[in-house]
Amino acid sequence: MTTPMKTKVGIIGGGPSGLLLSQLLHLKGIDNVLLEKHSRDYVLGRIRAGVLEHGFAELMREAQCGERMDREGEIHDGFYIAHDGIRDRVDLKKYTGGNSVVVYGQTEVTRDLYEARDKMGGTVIHEAQDVTPHDLKSDAPYLTYRLGDEPHRVDCDFIIGADGFHGVSRKSIPKDVLTEYEKVYPFGWLGVLSRTKPVSPELIYAKHERGFALCSLRSQVLSRYYLQVPLTDRVEDWSDEDFWAELKKRLPEDVAGDLITGPSIEKSIAPLRSFVAEPMRYGNLFLAGDAAHIVPPTGARGLNSAASDIYYLYHALLDHYQDGDDTGLEQYSQKALARVWKAQRFSWWMTSLLHTFPDSISYDKRLQQTDLEYLFSSDAAQTSLAENYVGLPF
Ligand code: FAD
Ligand code: DHB
């Protein structure tokens, strides 16, 4: 074992949650060490979120990482819901009193955060194997990990579990302490990234009896499309030709006619799941982001829910180190979960509204139809959708 490192905050996971917290803390002089299991290229190769809410964008700016996002990201004031061969627009700006979202890929967010950590000389350790948190109930918790064959140890005041759904942090909380709520959906999303002009300048969420489809984008030359697929499908089952043909069938005719196709540069399937683990604190371990909660991607809430956890944690840690005030740390789990559950409700609702459920009966289908009709006939319903989509206040 090499000489133990000593830091204030040990962070597990180099996804957006861990990196953002690491950067924010460092800017306030709070020393931290981040351990990531994979290589940087691997992390940057994952294509995930594309829509950032205002609060997330603000946090990126506070982390001094907002420059490229502000230059290259696109402000979107609305999006479409396609159904029954037509498109209805949700006017985010109108129904939120001027709020909007930023279209900027998670890959770019992560890249900007890594660059900022490099510039500040932050300690980000990649390919850290067998990361294990210890003595979580004590005032001196620590982390062990391996780099190659060499064992290492980091002593800290607090450990942040920002290691995603499959990480080690949540699993290190005793089972009798944790309550897990889970809902698994009987389908996944097949995503394709292609260097083509997006079919629409604004996102289109398409409800179709063949299954849901989403037309999204990363820029005006980079498109991101998704199809609802059965859980049994594998990426290899879908040629590019099959993907484009199926997407066209699920879009209104005028949209399908405008679709520009091209070779896929990434193709992957993500299962859909709703999940919450309570509480989000165990001793001096604090969970954040996908480590504690997952939503189906339909409402674009996942990364944004991670950001609100980081906001609460960051301020709680600042209060602890700057003012000796532990109220924020004590209230973290309760505060974070209150917002997390609202994102759960919204994501479940968007998913239920727009997907085709294999076991749905005719009654369910009529209700789904009625929900849509009500939505576009009611300012109150559109206000509710819009305020949730742009993100509830932290
Ligand atoms: P992660 O991004 O999962 O990062 C966790 C990190 O921890 C990873 O780098 C992992 O390698 C590392 N790690 C894991 N185990 C260990 C270990 N034992 N030791 C050390 N490190 C470990 N959200 C939105 O808000 N808007 C969207 O538009 C959106 N679209 C999405 C589309 C798709 C197809 C998918 C799959 C997700 C989407 N999301 C969206 C969700 C969003 O991507 C996640 O919520 C987000 O990645 C969570 O960030 P995180 O940092 O908490 O976790
Ligand atoms: C994207 C993903 C989503 O889940 C969503 O709701 C909107 C956009 C995307 O990857 O572009």
Side-chain angles (χ1 to χ4, degrees), residues 48-51 189 203 205 214 216-218 224 226 297-300:
R48 286 171 154 192
V51 174
W189 278 18
L203 272 70
Y205 290 81
L214 171 60
S216 183
L217 61 148
R218 292 292 176 273
R224 180 70 167 160
Y226 295 98
T298 325

Side-chain angles (χ1 to χ4, degrees), residues 258-310:
D258 286 344
L259 184 70
I260 298 171
T261 63
S264 63
I265 50 177
E266 194 266 358
K267 202 187 274 166
S268 51
I269 293 183
L272 266 64
R273 185 197 303 270
S274 297
F275 174 88
V276 182
E278 293 186 352
M280 287 171 62
R281 174 186 189 174
Y282 175 69
N284 281 318
L285 169 71
F286 294 81
L287 300 179
D290 278 18
H293 43 80
I294 298 278
V295 284
T298 325
R301 294 297 81 211
L303 180 54
N304 293 310
S305 296
S308 64
D309 294 350
I310 296 306

Side-chain angles (χ1 to χ4, degrees), residues 23-327:
Q23 173 71 2
L24 287 164
L25 292 176
H26 197 163
L27 283 168
K28 295 288 181 187
I30 299 172
D31 190 54
N32 64 83
V33 169
L34 188 151
L35 303 177
E36 163 60 46
K37 180 180 182 174
H38 292 290
S39 69
R40 183 182 291 208
D41 283 349
Y42 178 93
V43 175
L44 289 174
R46 291 189 301 224
I47 309 294
R48 286 171 154 192
V51 174
L52 311 180
E53 66 185 41
H54 174 76
F56 186 96
E58 275 298 303
L59 217 47
M60 285 290 284
R61 290 180 196 115
E62 190 167 347
Q64 298 181 7
C65 293
E67 207 180 288
R68 196 162 68 94
M69 175 190 73
D70 285 330
R71 207 173 51 241
E72 296 177 12
E74 288 186 13
I75 306 281
H76 283 218
D77 295 332
F79 65 86
Y80 293 97
I81 292 184
H83 60 100
D84 307 297
I86 59 154
R87 257 186 301 172
D88 276 314
R89 184 167 184 268
V90 178
D91 191 332
L92 295 173
K93 197 170 182 178
K94 173 177 161 191
Y95 286 111
T96 60
N99 214 335
S100 53
V101 292
V102 182
V103 170
Y104 189 64
Q106 178 170 335
T107 312
E108 304 313 317
V109 166
T110 312
R111 194 186 307 278
D112 294 345
L113 286 165
Y114 272 137
E115 274 173 19
R117 299 312 297 119
D118 285 349
K119 230 185 245 170
M120 285 190 74
T123 311
V124 176
I125 297 164
H126 282 280
E127 300 183 62
Q129 300 304 306
D130 299 336
V131 175
T132 312
H134 303 268
D135 289 1
L136 297 172
K137 286 294 226 181
S138 82
D139 288 340
Y142 64 98
L143 291 163
T144 53
Y145 65 99
R146 216 170 26 78
L147 278 181
D149 289 334
E150 189 140 355
H152 294 263
R153 170 176 166 146
V154 186
D155 293 325
C156 31
D157 301 334
F158 302 106
I159 294 175
I160 310 301
D163 48 353
F165 182 66
H166 300 286
V168 66
S169 304
R170 191 182 66 253
K171 290 176 194 142
S172 56
I173 300 177
K175 282 218 171 344
D176 58 339
V177 173
L178 214 57
T179 306
E180 296 186 340
Y181 300 87
E182 185 172 41
K183 185 178 176 67
V184 176
Y185 299 82
F187 38 73
W189 278 18
L190 168 66
V192 155
L193 189 70
S194 86
R195 231 177 278 289
T196 49
K197 184 174 162 18
V199 69
S200 160
E202 290 186 338
L203 272 70
I204 304 175
Y205 290 81
K207 177 185 186 311
H208 194 279
E209 62 194 24
R210 296 182 66 87
F212 169 78
L214 171 60
C215 304
S216 183
L217 61 148
R218 292 292 176 273
S219 72
Q220 285 310 314
V221 291
L222 197 57
S223 302
R224 180 70 167 160
Y225 296 105
Y226 295 98
L227 289 178
Q228 173 188 345
V229 294
L231 280 174
T232 43
D233 279 18
R234 293 164 311 149
V235 175
E236 308 79 75
D237 300 335
W238 284 87
S239 66
D240 288 358
E241 292 68 33
D242 292 344
F243 182 90
W244 296 121
E246 184 59 30
L247 179 60
K248 279 185 182 170
K249 287 183 191 160
R250 298 185 188 186
L251 298 175
E253 251 173 53
D254 58 326
V255 181
D258 286 344
L259 184 70
I260 298 171
T261 63
S264 63
I265 50 177
E266 194 266 358
K267 202 187 274 166
S268 51
I269 293 183
L272 266 64
R273 185 197 303 270
S274 297
F275 174 88
V276 182
E278 293 186 352
M280 287 171 62
R281 174 186 189 174
Y282 175 69
N284 281 318
L285 169 71
F286 294 81
L287 300 179
D290 278 18
H293 43 80
I294 298 278
V295 284
T298 325
R301 294 297 81 211
L303 180 54
N304 293 310
S305 296
S308 64
D309 294 350
I310 296 306
Y311 177 89
Y312 296 133
L313 257 185
Y314 165 55
H315 286 282
L317 289 165
L318 272 192
D319 290 348
H320 171 84
Y321 284 112
Q322 292 185 339
D323 307 323
D325 177 359
D326 282 351
T327 320

